[in-house]
Amino acid sequence: MRTGSEPVTARSPLRMRFWLSVWGLIITVAGTVAFALAGRPGWAAACAALWLITVIDMALILRHIREGPRYQPGRDVPPYQPPDDRW
């Protein structure tokens, strides 16, 4: 919901986040394979964990892109109240 305090032309960088997550996906898969082949199971597990986080992030980004720019929550979600304490 709009509170009136955000800029009219504000845009979400979802496409940029999508391409950064594609880049992260490529790097983490390559790291997992490289460390597994090099016999470093700890580093391979760390890269696999980052791969899982990247896949989850990409799924959320794609969901937000599919919702579209005019997505509004339903009637059961109350509007956000602007903060009372201003500098």
Side-chain angles (χ1 to χ4, degrees), residues 1-2 13 18 35 42 46 56-57 60 63-65 68 73-74 76 78:
M1 285 237 138
R2 293 190 179 270
F18 172 75
F35 284 123
I56 292 170
D57 184 47
L60 290 174
R63 189 183 89 193
H64 286 291
I65 288 174
D76 57 333

Side-chain angles (χ1 to χ4, degrees), residues 33-72:
V33 171
F35 284 123
L37 292 176
R40 303 282 188 159
W43 284 103
C47 285
L50 287 175
W51 172 79
L52 181 62
I53 292 170
T54 305
V55 168
I56 292 170
D57 184 47
M58 185 181 288
L60 290 174
I61 292 168
L62 289 174
R63 189 183 89 193
H64 286 291
I65 288 174
R66 286 189 190 123
E67 284 175 348
R70 303 284 182 222
Y71 172 75
Q72 293 293 314

Side-chain angles (χ1 to χ4, degrees), residues 3-5 14 17 21 29 34-35 38 40 53 55-56 69 72 82 84:
T3 61
S5 62
L14 288 175
R17 281 184 57 199
S21 66
V29 168
F35 284 123
R40 303 282 188 159
I53 292 170
V55 168
I56 292 170
Q72 293 293 314
D84 292 331

